[in-house]
Amino acid sequence: MAGLHKSDFANPVINWIDTRLPIFTMMQKEYGTFPTPKNFNYFWNFGALAVVALVVMIVTGIFLAMNYTPNVTMAFDSVERIMRDVNYGWLIRYVHMNGASMFFIVVYIHIFRGLYYGSYKAPRELLWMIGVVLLLLMMATAFMGYVLPWGQMSYWGATVITNLFSAIPVVGPGIVTWLWGGFSVDNPTLNRFFSLHYLLPFVIVGVLFLHVAALHITGSNNPLGIDVKSPQDTLPFHPYYTIKDSVGVCVFLLVWAVLVCFVPNYLGHVDNYTPANPMATPADVVPEWYFLPFYAILRSVPNKLGGVSMMFGSILVMFVLPWFDTSPVRSCRFRPIYRQLMWVLVADALLLGAVGAHPPQGIWVVIGRVCTAYYFLHFLVILPFLGKLERPLPLPESISRPVIAGGGGGLPGGAPAKPMEKP
Amino acid sequence: MADTVAPTAFDHGSPGDARRDFLKLVVGATAAAGVGAIAWPLVDSMNPSQDVLALSATEVDLTPIAEGSGITVLWRGKPIFVRYRTAAEIKAAQDVQMSQLIEPQPDSQRVKSGHDKWIVLIGICTHLGCVPLGNKPTDPRGDWGGWFCPCHGSQYDTSGRVRHGPAPLNLYIPPYAFESDTKVKIG
Amino acid sequence: MRPAILLPAFVLPAFVLIGAALLAVPARAQESETPPLVHQHWSFDGVFGTFDNAAAQRGLQVYQQVCSACHSMKQMYYRNLAGIGLNEDQIKAFAAAILVPGPADESGQPTQRPALPSDHFKSPFPNDEAARAANGGALPPDQSVLEKAREGGPDYIYALLNGYSDPPAGMKMQQGMNYNRYFPGNQIAMPQPLHGNDVTYVDGTPSSLEQEAHDVTTFLAFAANPELNERHATGVKAVLFLVFLTGITYALKRKIWADVH
């Protein structure tokens, strides 16, 4: 029988399946023996945590959808019914609601890892860009999901953000009417947001598959930012990283459980417990915390189209990042100047978040503009110039032999350096 | 330390491995318990919710029902017939020979002892599911004084037993209990 | 990590801390005319908090006798009162004393019937328009989730109920509005609902304003979070379980990695 895969598994059932569809061989290769750099730190857990978050969100979302009604007269009440009458409905709802925050926390840290250690640089540019697509999909999903409970923030957040598209010249207002399915955010909008909110996570799953596939072609980056030179530099993914990721998952679930069970509404907004009222705008319309920096960028430009462009631009600039960073060195461990500027970027992002949380008045306007300008300065000016001007620290020979003199990483200072042997 | 081959955890035989295997077992078992603890709320969320359960029992006040007539109440989405039988109707139900019945069942098995003047039935014809007529004295009740199904002509007696087809079975009895002489709880 | 070379070491952490601290500031514009909320002691506070059933039942009395004249609580069912310690008979009796709309009679006229445990709490008005008409154009908000819908939650509600006073000298009140120290803007349409001794508590507790405010706030917190007792208990179990699991998983990780380190 030509074309059948030659399977190495002894178990007859597994062998039968594997020769016809080599999923077991694939799992063994990609997650069993896959050579992974041995010097990962815990920043490398966050991709796996994001997958866990995605799975939990999909599962809880499906069970919520069994009881949710996407109609403007019933949506808020159906969520309350889930909270009160559906067995464990309060648990499923609070897990899903706080899960959005957990998902963004781990993805933002995952992105920080990529920025700090140069994981976006060649040959991982496409991997990085697929990641940016994933971020955009996540943001669309979260935006539409927040509308579904049909509270005041759901309604007015949807109104503000969909109205942004009217800034597009010529076709803008038409696009907004098309998005709404009417002349304001109303039932057609809610219904289609529900449909798309259910769909997009599965699109995320598909793009995630591409993300991981791209990763497995290039192999993972590592804290030193240098390539794997030999099998000595690596460990099989199982059991080393399966168990290390498990530790991370436990801590992740612990934080999530504390949020859900003790402070489930801490990250939310009280106004979303008031049913949507198209006649009354709340005093402040603010998105959830994970959108605050982008909201700040949007409002920092007094021109509507300018603000929209800058807001989307702040993410689009990530697409071109691999080509704007001219440094020959990947990891900030060996980039003494850029390392500090990375933390400045983090502070900038946090400050932008604070700006987004406050009404655009007084000092916050100034801070918002300065921080927005700095954000773009970092990616579009600092990165290309710094790469050429900065003198990086000397790179170690290999991951197994990172010890030259003093710092570095990997093996502790006292271990003797061993000559590399050919396998 | 072996330098030539990337070390794996699959080498067995050294003393530390027994402790590692035990630890693996404990971790695995605890994680499995955790998965079970997570799975149960999801499964239970699909069980009838509290608002559905609250309506799963219906109390019926019997005082407004006149002798010889019956009412229909809704229970779990189904019609329930509650009829106050006259002495003649009770006797007619009790005197029937089992051999005359399509689905033999004595009247005593279809009522609660001490309350045989009340017959409580699920008012769905066992043929194809229509709701038979017969609660009001002015309704057609069929030849046996019970209920008559207008869809295909099935007829039931005063005990709700089928006497003329095409229905194959007697009207079903829902779970019910008398809370007092004037109040019955269905479900 | 190598020490910072160019910028002084304190500047970077300072940036991060300033940013984080600003983010932690409450995210809504506070009217500066309202004093900061005083944190009250609530039985349901904290990791091990549960509802004080006695207080909640007194609060139910206040709600039923005072608040329910204007405020609906549509998401609550009478059967939910089991969560504050009423047994089945007490619930049936409580509900049966309340008349709710029944099915139309044979000529199509609306009827009334005693409420059942499976009924929603009765609303004082058939619709929002009637509610506004009876309250000078203002809509008394539904109280089912009110405790979660206001910044400060129970502390705010308690402060508001105790926060009525005469307006300060020189302040012009709008037509029909009442001065309240804690309401944003200080002008609230609701006249002072509680003064003290508005109800006679069944359990004999003296019904001062502070007591009534405390009890009705407890009841409102229950109405908004009926699952709180179970949620806290689940949280304690989940945290203990996960701490244990994290511990043994980390131990296993160290074991597996022992030959690498």
Side-chain angles (χ1 to χ4, degrees), chain A residues 161-178:
Chain A
I161 298 301
T162 47
N163 261 317
L164 290 180
F165 289 89
S166 65
I168 301 171
V170 182
V171 293
I175 289 181
V176 175
T177 307
W178 175 76

Side-chain angles (χ1 to χ4, degrees), chain A residues 38 42 76-77 80-81 83-85 88 90-91 93-94 116 235 239-241 243-244 246-247 250-251 253-254 257-258 260-265 268-271 273-274 277 284 286 292 333 336-337 339-341 343-344 346-347 350-351 353-354 357-359 364 367 393 405-407 411, chain C residues 1-8 12 15-16 18-20 22-29 46-48 74-77 79-80 132 144-145 148-152 222-228 230-236 238-240 242-243 245-246 249-250 252-253 256-257 259-261:
Chain A
K38 59 160 67 162
Y42 275 93
F76 190 91
D77 291 347
E80 275 306 304
R81 181 178 162 267
M83 295 292 292
R84 293 162 187 275
D85 287 321
Y88 293 102
W90 59 269
L91 180 62
R93 194 268 175 117
Y94 276 151
Y116 191 89
L235 293 168
Y240 292 93
Y241 288 109
I243 193 65
K244 192 170 181 186
S246 299
V247 176
C250 288
V251 175
L253 293 178
L254 185 59
V258 168
V260 164
C261 291
F262 300 118
V263 281
N265 295 296
H269 198 294
V270 291
D271 276 337
Y273 279 105
T274 301
N277 181 356
D284 310 303
V286 273
L292 287 175
R333 286 255 184 107
I337 302 176
R339 177 159 73 206
Q340 299 171 70
L341 294 175
W343 292 109
V344 174
V346 169
L350 289 173
L351 258 179
H358 286 84
W364 294 108
I367 299 178
L393 299 172
L411 295 173
Chain C
M1 244 167 82
R2 290 195 174 232
I5 293 177
L6 286 181
L7 289 175
L12 303 153
F15 258 117
V16 177
I18 291 169
L22 280 167
L23 196 56
V25 166
R28 271 143 294 279
V47 162
F48 299 102
K74 291 192 291 253
Q75 311 287 358
M76 282 281 283
Y77 292 94
R79 57 178 166 83
N80 293 140
R132 284 186 190 278
S144 309
V145 289
K148 290 195 286 198
R150 294 293 180 271
E151 200 65 53
F222 168 76
N225 307 281
E227 83 293 341
L228 181 139
E230 195 190 351
R231 173 161 53 84
H232 282 181
T234 304
V236 171
V239 166
L240 289 174
L242 283 167
V243 166
L245 186 60
T246 304
T249 308
Y250 184 66
L252 182 58
K253 183 259 178 191
I256 289 176
W257 280 75
D259 50 0
V260 174
H261 287 316

Side-chain angles (χ1 to χ4, degrees), chain A residues 118-283:
Chain A
S119 305
Y120 53 85
K121 292 167 80 60
R124 297 181 182 89
E125 306 95 321
L126 190 60
L127 170 67
W128 173 261
M129 294 201 293
I130 296 173
V132 180
V133 170
L134 281 170
L135 176 65
L136 285 167
L137 287 171
M138 264 181 73
M139 294 170 77
T141 308
F143 166 68
M144 291 191 293
Y146 192 68
V147 179
L148 302 183
W150 209 241
Q152 275 285 65
M153 255 342 143
S154 306
Y155 179 87
W156 289 101
T159 300
V160 167
I161 298 301
T162 47
N163 261 317
L164 290 180
F165 289 89
S166 65
I168 301 171
V170 182
V171 293
I175 289 181
V176 175
T177 307
W178 175 76
L179 276 176
W180 284 341
F183 305 105
S184 67
V185 170
D186 203 346
N187 207 49
T189 325
L190 177 62
N191 235 314
R192 64 188 55 181
F193 276 11
F194 178 60
S195 168
L196 294 173
H197 181 73
Y198 205 123
L199 167 72
L200 281 187
F202 296 100
V203 175
I204 289 177
V205 170
V207 178
L208 183 64
F209 186 78
L210 295 177
H211 190 67
V212 174
L215 174 70
H216 280 215
I217 299 294
T218 61
S220 291
N221 192 16
N222 66 85
L224 296 176
I226 57 180
D227 289 331
V228 164
K229 306 268 191 341
S230 74
Q232 255 182 287
D233 292 340
T234 69
L235 293 168
F237 190 85
H238 178 72
Y240 292 93
Y241 288 109
T242 44
I243 193 65
K244 192 170 181 186
D245 281 349
S246 299
V247 176
V249 167
C250 288
V251 175
F252 177 62
L253 293 178
L254 185 59
V255 172
W256 201 341
V258 168
L259 267 182
V260 164
C261 291
F262 300 118
V263 281
N265 295 296
Y266 177 71
L267 295 170
H269 198 294
V270 291
D271 276 337
N272 228 28
Y273 279 105
T274 301
N277 181 356
M279 298 291 131
T281 312

Side-chain angles (χ1 to χ4, degrees), chain B:
Chain B
M1 251 211 301
D3 285 334
T4 48
V5 173
T8 74
F10 301 118
D11 308 322
H12 286 292
S14 51
D17 289 323
R19 222 181 300 140
R20 178 158 60 201
D21 284 340
F22 172 70
L23 199 49
K24 271 196 227 170
L25 188 67
V26 173
V27 170
T30 311
V35 169
I38 291 170
W40 169 244
L42 292 170
V43 169
D44 194 28
S45 78
M46 292 177 66
N47 273 329
S49 55
Q50 297 304 308
D51 53 344
V52 168
L53 288 175
L55 296 175
S56 67
T58 308
E59 280 181 3
V60 183
D61 180 18
L62 302 172
T63 41
I65 305 176
E67 194 177 1
S69 102
I71 60 166
T72 310
V73 294
L74 205 61
W75 173 75
R76 296 192 182 173
K78 296 184 256 257
I80 304 295
F81 296 156
V82 180
R83 177 140 31 135
Y84 184 168
R85 305 192 294 182
T86 63
E89 286 170 341
I90 297 171
K91 187 159 190 322
Q94 288 169 343
D95 287 348
V96 171
Q97 303 283 352
M98 292 297 106
S99 53
Q100 294 174 309
L101 292 171
I102 296 174
E103 187 200 355
Q105 207 181 10
D107 182 68
S108 54
Q109 271 182 22
R110 297 176 60 79
V111 292
K112 299 284 184 222
S113 66
H115 296 281
D116 53 8
K117 62 188 185 192
W118 295 104
I119 184 82
V120 180
L121 305 161
I122 299 184
I124 298 177
C125 183
T126 57
H127 176 229
L128 288 176
C130 294
V131 180
L133 304 168
N135 281 328
K136 295 209 203 59
T138 47
D139 281 347
R141 285 180 166 180
D143 297 337
W144 287 269
W147 286 268
F148 171 78
C149 187
C151 290
H152 307 100
S154 301
Q155 298 183 40
Y156 300 86
D157 65 13
T158 51
S159 185
R161 293 171 297 204
V162 60
R163 304 303 290 273
H164 182 288
L169 299 172
N170 301 333
L171 292 175
Y172 299 117
I173 315 276
Y176 70 99
F178 279 87
E179 304 212 309
S180 71
D181 281 345
T182 53
K183 198 178 275 191
V184 65
K185 182 174 182 173
I186 307 174

Side-chain angles (χ1 to χ4, degrees), chain A residues 7-133:
Chain A
S7 175
D8 295 324
F9 288 90
N11 179 295
V13 174
I14 292 183
N15 194 291
W16 186 92
I17 299 174
D18 202 54
T19 49
R20 289 156 177 74
L21 183 66
I23 47 174
F24 293 100
T25 299
M26 189 198 83
M27 281 304 292
Q28 177 76 313
K29 175 165 172 267
E30 302 297 337
Y31 283 106
T33 56
F34 192 77
T36 317
K38 59 160 67 162
N39 61 334
F40 278 178
N41 58 33
Y42 275 93
F43 271 116
W44 261 257
N45 269 22
F46 285 82
L49 296 184
V51 172
V52 170
L54 177 65
V55 168
V56 174
M57 291 302 275
I58 289 178
V59 170
T60 52
I62 289 173
F63 280 87
L64 285 175
M66 292 183 188
N67 289 289
Y68 171 74
T69 306
N71 181 290
V72 296
T73 57
M74 297 182 64
F76 190 91
D77 291 347
S78 72
V79 173
E80 275 306 304
R81 181 178 162 267
I82 289 170
M83 295 292 292
R84 293 162 187 275
D85 287 321
V86 173
N87 300 326
Y88 293 102
W90 59 269
L91 180 62
I92 300 173
R93 194 268 175 117
Y94 276 151
V95 167
H96 195 80
M97 185 167 124
N98 287 284
S101 289
M102 295 303 295
F103 202 173
F104 275 96
I105 290 175
V106 294
V107 166
Y108 283 155
I109 297 176
H110 182 72
I111 293 174
F112 171 79
R113 184 278 309 268
L115 290 170
Y116 191 89
Y117 293 103
S119 305
Y120 53 85
K121 292 167 80 60
R124 297 181 182 89
E125 306 95 321
L126 190 60
L127 170 67
W128 173 261
M129 294 201 293
I130 296 173
V132 180
V133 170

